[in-house]
C-alpha cells in the first residue's frame, strides 16, 4: 500500500475526474512507452478518457494533444523511446509559458496530468501546481536512477544492461591488445549506473561523483595493479565524476604513463535506447496503474515510487529537493572484488 507522508496533499476533486493527460518529459528512457500504455489502459479501465500530450511541457504550451484509446497503445510495450516524444521545455520555466499550458489544458478539458520523467520534470509540475489547480502525479523515468524517495526509476535496468553488453565487447578487444579502456557512462551527477555496471563487468576501477577517494583508487590501480600484474584494464567513469570525463582522465594518465596503451570509449546516447528489459516493463506497468489510482484517490503533487518493490507516494517537493544516496556497500564490494 502507498505510504502517507504528512505533506501529501489531496484534491477533493476525484468526482470531477473525467479526462487525464499523459506526457513524457526530459531525457527519454526505455520503458516510457510501457508506462504510457499502463496509464492509458488503467484510466480507460476506470472509465476515464485519456489524452496524450506530445513533446512534454512544450506540447502542452503548443496545444499538441491527441486522444489515446486502448488500441493506440498496442504494440509499444517492448519498444524504446517514447511514442509521445519528449523535450526539455525552456518556455515552461516562464510564467507566460505555464499560463498558455494551463489554458490549453482547460480548453481540452484535462482534469489531471501524469508526468513521466525525471526531477526536472517534477520541478516543472511543482511550480505549475503552485499557480494552477490541476493535479499532477509523476512517474520516475530516467536511466540515471537518481531520484529521492524511490529505489527505482524506469529505464535504469535497460540502460544498465546496455552498458554491460557494450563493455563486455570492449573487454574482448582490451584483453587482445593489452590495453586500458577508459569508458564513460551517463548518469548526470549520479554514479549508480557507473557503479553497478562496473561491478557487473568486473571493472578494475570505477570513478563516481559520490566517492571521495577516486584519485587514490585510480593511482593505486595504475601503480600497483596495472603496472605489476595486469595486462589490460577497464576503468568506468561516471560522466559527472569530479576528476573529469573519460577523455580528460585518460589524457592525464597517458601523459604521466607514456608506456601505457590507453583507449577511450564514451558510450553516449546508445545507453538511452533499445527495448526495455522485463524489469522496466513491469516497473512501468506497476507505476502507471498506481499513478491513475492515486489520481482517483485525490492525491496530487506526488511521485509514484517503488521501495522494496512496493508502491509509495513521494511528495514532489521531496523528490526534487532531496538527494538520492548511494549504497556504500556497493563501493565496498567493488573495492574488495576488483581493485
Ligand atoms: O538524465 C538522463 C541523461 O541521459 C543523463 O544521463 C545525461 O547526462 C543527459 O540525460 C543527457 O541529456 P541530453 O540527451 O539532453 O544530451
Amino acid at each position: 500500500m502507498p505510504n502517507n507522508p504528512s505533506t501529501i496533499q489531496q484534491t477533493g476533486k476525484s468526482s470531477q475526474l473525467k479526462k487525464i493527460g499523459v506526457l513524457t518529459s526530459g531525457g527519454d528512457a526505455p520503458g516510457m512507452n510501457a508506462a504510457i500504455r499502463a496509464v492509458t489502459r488503467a484510466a480507460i479501465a476506470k472509465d476515464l478518457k485519456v489524452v496524450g500530450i506530445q513533446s512534454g511541457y512544450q506540447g502542452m504550451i503548443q496545444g499538441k494533444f491527441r486522444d489515446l484509446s486502448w488500441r493506440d497503445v498496442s504494440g509499444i510495450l517492448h519498444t524504446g523511446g517514447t511514442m509521445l516524444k519528449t523535450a526539455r521545455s525552456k518556455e515552461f520555466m516562464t510564467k507566460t509559458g505555464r499560463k498558455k499550458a494551463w489554458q490549453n489544458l482547460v480548453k481540452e478539458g484535462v482534469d489531471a496530468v501524469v508526468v513521466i520523467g525525471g526531477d526536472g520534470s517534477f520541478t516543472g509540475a511543482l511550480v505549475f501546481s503552485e499557480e494552477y489547480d490541476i493535479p499532477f502525479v509523476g512517474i520516475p523515468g530516467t536511466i540515471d536512477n537518481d531520484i529521492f524517495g524511490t529505489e527505482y526509476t524506469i529505464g535504469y535496468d535497460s540502460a544498465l544492461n546496455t552498458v554491460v553488453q557494450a563493455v563486455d565487447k570492449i573487454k574482448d578487444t582490451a584483453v587482445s591488445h593489452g590495453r586500458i579502456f577508459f569508458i564513460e557512462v551517463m548518469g548526470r551527477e549520479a554514479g549508480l549506473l557507473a557503479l553497478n555496471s562496473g561491478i557487473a563487468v568486473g571493472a578494475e576501477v570505477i570513478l563516481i561523483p559520490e566517492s571521495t577517494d577516486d584519485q587514490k583508487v585510480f593511482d593505486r590501480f595504475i601503480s600497483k595493479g596495472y603496472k605489476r600484474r595486469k595486462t589490460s584494464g577497464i576503468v568506468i567513469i561516471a560522466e559527472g565524476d569530479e576528476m573529469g570525463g573519460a577523455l580528460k582522465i585518460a589524457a592525464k594518465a597517458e601523459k604521466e604513463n607514456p608506456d601505457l596503451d590507453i583507449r577511450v570509449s564514451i558510450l553516449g546516447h546508445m545507453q538511452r535506447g533499445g527495448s526495455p528489459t522485463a524489469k522496466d516493463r513491469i516497473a512501468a506497468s506497476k507505476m502507471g496503474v498506481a499513478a491513475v489510482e492515486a489520481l482517483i484517490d485525490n492525491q496530487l503533487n506526488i511521485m509514484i515510487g517503488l521501495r522494496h518493490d512496493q508502491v509509495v507516494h513521494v511528495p514532489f517537493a521531496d523528490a526534487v529537493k532531496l538527494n538520492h544516496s548511494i549504497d556504500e556497500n556497493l563501493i565496498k564490494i567493488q573495492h574488495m572484488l576488483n581493485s
Side-chain angles (χ1 to χ4, degrees):
M1 282 295 288
N3 65 347
N4 193 22
S6 53
T7 44
I8 281 180
Q9 297 165 267
Q10 295 204 303
T11 64
K13 266 183 138 194
S14 80
S15 54
Q16 299 160 28
L17 192 63
K18 292 196 177 74
K19 193 192 251 192
I20 64 168
V22 57
L23 63 85
T24 48
S25 166
D28 62 345
M32 279 187 163
N33 278 333
I36 295 167
R37 173 182 178 270
V39 169
T40 303
R41 293 196 167 175
I44 291 170
K46 299 280 183 184
D47 290 328
L48 299 172
K49 288 201 162 36
V50 187
V51 64
I53 304 167
Q54 300 272 350
S55 306
Y57 294 125
Q58 197 53 35
M60 207 187 256
I61 293 168
Q62 294 167 346
K64 288 191 186 164
F65 298 144
R66 60 178 273 211
D67 291 341
L68 291 179
S69 68
W70 186 277
R71 294 188 85 184
D72 287 332
V73 293
S74 288
I76 62 165
L77 180 59
H78 65 294
T79 58
T82 158
M83 68 169 279
L84 290 176
K85 308 224 184 299
T86 185
R88 301 188 203 276
S89 172
K90 289 216 173 78
E91 213 181 332
F92 197 73
M93 291 178 199
T94 66
K95 262 188 181 292
T96 325
R98 290 192 295 276
K99 189 170 179 192
K100 277 191 212 160
W102 172 74
Q103 284 167 338
N104 285 330
L105 289 176
V106 172
K107 200 163 104 197
E108 188 67 30
V110 174
D111 303 309
V113 178
V114 176
V115 180
I116 305 163
D119 57 355
S121 312
F122 301 152
T123 303
L126 191 58
V127 175
F128 187 87
S129 71
E130 280 156 11
E131 296 168 346
Y132 301 104
D133 187 23
I134 293 186
F136 276 54
V137 164
I139 295 178
T142 162
I143 64 163
D144 303 336
N145 204 3
D146 60 346
I147 301 182
F148 177 85
T150 182
E151 287 166 357
Y152 197 71
T153 63
I154 296 166
Y156 175 69
D157 187 59
S158 304
L160 182 60
N161 281 287
T162 298
V163 173
V164 169
Q165 282 167 21
V167 178
D168 282 349
K169 292 186 172 101
I170 292 172
K171 207 166 174 175
D172 289 345
T173 177
V175 171
S176 303
H177 285 264
R179 286 172 169 159
I180 303 184
F181 269 83
F182 288 68
I183 302 171
E184 187 175 303
V185 169
M186 276 187 171
R188 210 178 281 275
E189 276 102 41
L192 198 63
L193 188 57
L195 181 56
N196 273 328
S197 58
I199 290 173
V201 299
E204 278 74 14
V205 181
I206 304 172
L207 306 176
I208 55 170
E210 293 87 347
S211 87
T212 48
D213 58 355
D214 276 357
Q215 188 70 56
K216 213 170 77 193
V217 169
F218 181 72
D219 292 345
R220 196 172 56 221
F221 161 67
I222 296 288
S223 60
K224 295 212 174 89
Y226 187 78
K227 284 194 174 163
R228 289 200 190 151
R229 60 191 158 86
K230 292 273 180 183
T231 53
S232 67
I234 297 290
V235 179
I236 299 279
I237 301 160
E239 64 177 350
D241 191 68
E242 72 287 351
M243 283 172 67
L247 281 169
K248 184 175 170 199
I249 298 174
K252 185 165 175 273
E254 211 161 24
K255 202 166 161 207
E256 290 167 0
N257 308 274
D259 51 320
L260 298 185
D261 194 359
I262 287 174
R263 291 291 185 276
V264 174
S265 189
I266 297 170
L267 298 185
H269 287 80
M270 65 163 329
Q271 295 162 92
R272 290 227 301 254
S275 178
T277 58
K279 178 167 172 148
D280 274 323
R281 298 178 202 192
I282 294 164
S285 302
K286 265 189 195 168
M287 292 201 234
V289 170
V292 173
E293 284 175 350
L295 283 172
I296 291 171
D297 194 30
N298 295 343
Q299 307 288 321
L300 79 155
N301 302 329
I302 51 146
M303 175 192 78
I304 301 297
L306 287 178
R307 278 186 227 145
H308 308 297
D309 240 9
Q310 298 298 307
V311 167
V312 292
H313 292 170
V314 185
F316 277 149
D318 290 350
V320 301
K321 282 215 189 88
L322 302 172
N323 287 331
H324 187 280
S325 58
I326 213 149
D327 181 358
E328 290 292 326
N329 194 38
L330 284 174
I331 300 181
K332 204 176 90 194
I333 289 169
Q334 152 64 11
H335 287 173
M336 197 178 286
L337 300 182
N338 301 313
S339 291

